[in-house]
Amino acid sequence: MKPISILKYVTPFLVVAILFSIWHFKRKIVTVSETRLMLGTFVEITVIGGRGDDLAGAVEAAFLRIAEIEAIADRYTGSSEISELNRNAAVGRLVDVPVSDDILEMLTVAKMVSEISNRAFDITVAPVVDLWDFTGDGGGKIPDGKEIGERLKLVDCGKIVVEDGTISSEEPGIKLDLGGVAKGYAADEAAEVLIEAGVKSGVINAGGDMVLIGSKGRAGGKTPWRIGVQDPRDSNGLIALLKLKDTSVVTSGDYERYFIVDGRRYHHIIDPKTGYPSNASISVTIVAESAAFADALATAVFVLGPQKGIDLVEELDSVEALVMGADGGISVTTGLSDLIEYED
Ligand code: AMP
Ligand code: MG
């Protein structure tokens, strides 16, 4: 046989072999995971894809988006947009002050959760939050009750009006704290960046505020993510395991930032009606489509406590909750029972 006719027979096999190799190379599952200190906590982004995907580039872009949100929403950074709003509000009323789309989004979610929770969530709680120090180093001091009472007069998110891309407040001295919604919002936005970059499977965990993209493994995979809910009194233990896909899951607890005086725990979730840390709950986990909403709602349900909190979440479509009450008892919404894999 002439060489040319051998090639005629071999070439199709060669082509198939090369195509198979490329397919096999791309099919190989790759995981990229990175953790950075941001938003006052550890933010971990994990993405799963094929060998040819630019997963590292997608992760970098997602972190950049989080940094952008932190730079405008952190009231402890002097140059942030929220700091400027607070400086203006300290010296007078805010009249139709334009805000960026990101701040607008966070304000809108915050106002909505405040309304449905009868103000258990209130971003104007900042003047009272400032009296407390849960950082650990200066912590341990209970503020003067009279001073808390004075500052409480400034706490009422009903006094801020958000419309047409602007914020107004009739009350001078109002001060905003987006700490209860910004982590969730940043996680939502980071997920958006990853999805736009083609990521089909991944997890963003911003200090307990998680967004789950797709399921665990390759696109279209059926394996749900299994998310552990931390035991609030044992950092190595779990109280539940949730099987979830394409959703957000956010936990707020009294174990994140706190100090103890005379056996009583004082922590960073403040009841806006009393100015003191709420002792209605120990931990709250919310499952919802939006992490920003879940973030604010977890704080609200924490303050409302198991009974009122679960009642509120049962009224909301496609939102589930797990609440550990002050006595350590666990309450869950009816829809959550299908998602819990184990509880002890
Ligand atoms: P999280 O970490 O989501 O539980 O939110 C707690 C943070 O939100 C605190 O560190 C405060 O900055 C702020 N905060 C505390 N209590 C409330 C509240 N009742 N409503 C809104 N924000 C709050
Ligand atoms: Mg929250």
Side-chain angles (χ1 to χ4, degrees):
M1 207 183 268
K2 287 190 205 146
I4 195 79
S5 48
I6 294 175
L7 264 183
K8 207 167 103 190
Y9 289 104
V10 169
T11 306
F13 292 105
L14 265 177
V15 169
V16 168
I18 290 166
L19 285 177
F20 179 79
S21 305
I22 293 171
W23 174 78
H24 188 73
F25 177 82
K26 284 201 162 176
R27 213 179 70 102
K28 180 102 173 110
I29 293 176
V30 179
T31 302
V32 171
S33 188
E34 205 179 316
T35 304
R36 294 187 191 174
L37 194 55
M38 295 174 104
L39 303 164
T41 186
F42 287 104
V43 179
E44 184 183 31
I45 300 183
T46 304
V47 291
I48 303 173
R51 230 185 318 208
D53 303 338
D54 181 15
L55 298 176
V59 169
E60 187 60 38
F63 275 122
L64 277 177
R65 181 72 181 109
I66 295 174
E68 216 172 83
I69 293 162
E70 182 174 24
I72 62 164
D74 179 10
R75 73 183 179 95
Y76 301 103
T77 302
S79 57
S80 70
E81 184 179 345
I82 202 76
S83 289
E84 189 175 351
L85 271 179
N86 282 340
R87 276 195 299 274
N88 290 338
V91 293
R93 296 170 48 193
L94 297 177
V95 184
D96 300 333
V97 180
V99 292
S100 65
D101 289 350
D102 288 326
I103 294 288
L104 187 67
E105 195 69 33
M106 284 182 263
L107 290 176
T108 305
V109 172
K111 286 277 288 178
M112 193 235 287
V113 172
S114 189
E115 270 156 34
I116 63 172
S117 69
N118 188 25
R119 232 166 49 73
F121 186 79
D122 192 326
I123 51 166
T124 63
V125 77
V128 175
V129 169
D130 287 345
L131 291 176
W132 295 91
D133 184 355
F134 305 109
T135 51
D137 15 18
K141 220 175 117 268
I142 302 162
D144 177 52
K146 257 173 54 198
E147 211 169 343
I148 290 181
E150 270 310 301
R151 300 241 179 144
L152 268 182
K153 293 178 190 159
L154 293 168
V155 181
D156 183 359
C157 152
K159 288 179 179 158
I160 57 170
V161 178
V162 179
E163 61 186 8
D164 301 331
T166 68
I167 182 171
S168 303
S169 77
E170 55 192 61
E171 179 96 31
I174 215 135
K175 195 171 189 181
L176 308 175
D177 180 347
L178 295 177
V181 65
K183 274 186 296 174
Y185 180 71
D188 278 334
E189 290 299 301
E192 199 65 31
V193 168
L194 293 178
I195 290 166
E196 270 169 31
V199 170
K200 303 275 192 303
S201 173
V203 177
I204 294 153
N205 184 358
D209 289 23
M210 306 177 83
V211 179
L212 314 174
I213 300 171
S215 50
K216 194 176 177 189
R218 290 181 68 82
K222 294 219 166 25
T223 321
W225 299 98
R226 295 165 78 204
I227 305 299
V229 179
Q230 191 186 318
D231 181 337
R233 298 293 176 259
D234 170 12
S235 57
N236 295 318
L238 299 179
I239 54 172
L241 210 53
L242 303 175
K243 292 178 292 177
L244 302 167
K245 279 188 222 177
D246 259 326
T247 192
S248 297
V249 53
V250 170
T251 299
S252 265
D254 69 4
Y255 53 92
E256 293 167 75
R257 270 173 285 148
Y258 67 95
F259 62 81
I260 291 175
V261 172
D262 295 335
R264 220 194 125 131
R265 183 182 290 254
Y266 296 86
H267 60 89
H268 72 307
I269 301 170
I270 306 288
D271 182 340
K273 306 267 170 69
T274 66
Y276 285 84
S278 166
N279 49 25
S281 313
I282 289 177
S283 145
V284 173
T285 300
I286 299 285
V287 179
E289 197 185 316
S290 147
F293 177 73
D295 190 3
L297 190 64
T299 307
V301 168
F302 188 104
V303 172
L304 290 173
Q307 198 150 15
K308 284 189 193 160
I310 293 285
D311 285 353
L312 166 64
V313 179
E314 290 285 19
E315 280 175 30
L316 305 170
D317 275 345
S318 314
V319 184
E320 305 299 339
L322 178 152
V323 182
M324 183 184 264
D327 59 1
I330 291 175
S331 314
V332 299
T333 50
T334 35
L336 199 78
S337 39
D338 298 340
L339 308 171
I340 291 189
E341 191 167 78
Y342 112 167
E343 227 179 318
D344 66 9

